[in-house]
Amino acid sequence: INILFPDIIKEQNRELRGTQRAISRDRAALEKQEKQLELEIKKMAKTGNKEACKLLAKQLVQLRKQKNRTYAVSSKVTSMSTQTKVMNSQMKMAGAMSATAKTMQAVNKKMDPQKTLQTMQNFQKENMKMEMTEEMINDTLDDIFDASDEEEESQDIVNQVLDEIGIEISDKMAKAPSAARGLPCASASTAATISDEEIERQLKALGVD
């Protein structure tokens, strides 16, 4: 029906335009007859033919009524033409609204609110999981590399301290006298300080000959 309606409107508009043109032609013909009757009435009046003037006057009245009817009919035709144009515009809007409604219906079927909400919630949940996983991985990597850096840094400090201590010990050992140099040998000391006479004296004192 919607497909045939525009064709019907066009056909009606063509008929209304044709009717309007026919009415305009009839009115023009009536106006021409009106002028002729007016001239005839004037002629009859000049000749004093009152009966003829009355008959012609009656015809003139009827003719003018008919001419007025053409104006009324023409106005009605114009109104109908306007109405058909309005109806055509309304049907176009109705068609557009129908197409839009079908599109919206199809979209609403595809975009189920519950499914859409569930999808958004799932996305948010999975996104949070991904962020947490990424954060845990980053923390683990940071711990691994930070621990390695701390171990290397600690080892560097220990090595530095040991080097410093080693250098101090070497300096002290280099400067300090050795045990051999610092302490006299026992045999040498005894030989240097105890004489044979002293040994014999001590033996006699002990009763040893």
Side-chain angles (χ1 to χ4, degrees):
I1 296 175
N2 292 335
I3 296 175
L4 296 176
F5 188 81
D7 295 334
I8 295 173
I9 293 294
K10 290 179 181 179
E11 183 64 25
Q12 288 181 347
N13 285 332
R14 283 195 295 268
E15 292 179 359
L16 290 173
R17 286 194 297 269
T19 302
Q20 193 71 274
R21 287 192 295 268
I23 293 172
S24 297
R25 287 193 298 268
D26 291 343
R27 186 185 305 115
L30 291 172
E31 289 175 351
K32 186 177 181 180
Q33 292 178 12
E34 181 182 7
K35 291 179 180 179
Q36 290 175 354
L37 284 173
E38 288 175 354
L39 291 174
E40 288 293 330
I41 291 170
K42 289 178 181 180
K43 288 179 181 180
M44 294 296 105
K46 287 180 180 180
T47 60
N49 191 345
K50 294 181 180 179
E51 292 297 328
C53 286
K54 289 180 181 179
L55 291 174
L56 292 172
K58 288 180 181 181
Q59 291 180 10
L60 181 61
V61 170
Q62 293 297 325
L63 189 146
R64 287 178 175 175
K65 286 181 179 180
Q66 182 63 25
K67 186 179 72 172
N68 290 332
R69 291 191 187 100
T70 62
Y71 283 112
V73 173
S74 178
S75 176
K76 184 65 176 177
V77 171
T78 302
S79 176
M80 291 177 63
S81 178
T82 302
Q83 288 178 354
T84 55
K85 290 178 180 179
V86 171
M87 290 179 63
N88 188 26
S89 177
Q90 289 176 346
M91 290 303 298
K92 287 181 180 179
M93 288 189 294
M97 293 173 67
S98 176
T100 303
K102 290 180 180 179
T103 302
M104 293 174 65
Q105 185 178 6
V107 171
N108 287 331
K109 287 182 179 179
K110 296 294 183 181
M111 297 292 292
D112 187 1
Q114 292 297 119
K115 292 182 179 179
T116 303
L117 180 60
Q118 185 66 34
T119 300
M120 295 175 66
Q121 290 176 348
N122 290 337
F123 173 80
Q124 184 177 8
K125 184 189 296 182
E126 296 302 325
N127 187 48
M128 291 178 64
K129 286 182 180 179
M130 183 177 293
E131 290 179 354
M132 292 176 64
T133 302
E134 183 180 1
E135 185 176 357
M136 291 173 63
I137 293 174
N138 289 333
D139 290 343
T140 303
L141 291 174
D142 290 340
D143 291 341
I144 293 172
F145 290 109
D146 288 346
S148 176
D149 293 341
E150 290 178 359
E151 184 177 355
E152 291 179 0
E153 184 178 358
S154 176
Q155 187 63 36
D156 291 340
I157 293 174
V158 170
N159 291 334
Q160 182 179 358
V161 171
L162 290 176
D163 289 340
E164 292 177 356
I165 293 175
I167 293 172
E168 292 177 358
I169 291 174
S170 298
D171 291 342
K172 290 180 179 179
M173 290 178 66
K175 295 178 181 179
S178 63
R181 292 196 305 265
L183 295 177
C185 181
S187 59
S189 175
T190 303
T193 57
I194 300 175
S195 63
D196 294 338
E197 294 178 356
E198 183 65 24
I199 293 172
E200 290 178 359
R201 186 183 62 80
Q202 290 180 358
L203 288 174
K204 289 181 178 181
L206 292 172
V208 178
D209 293 334

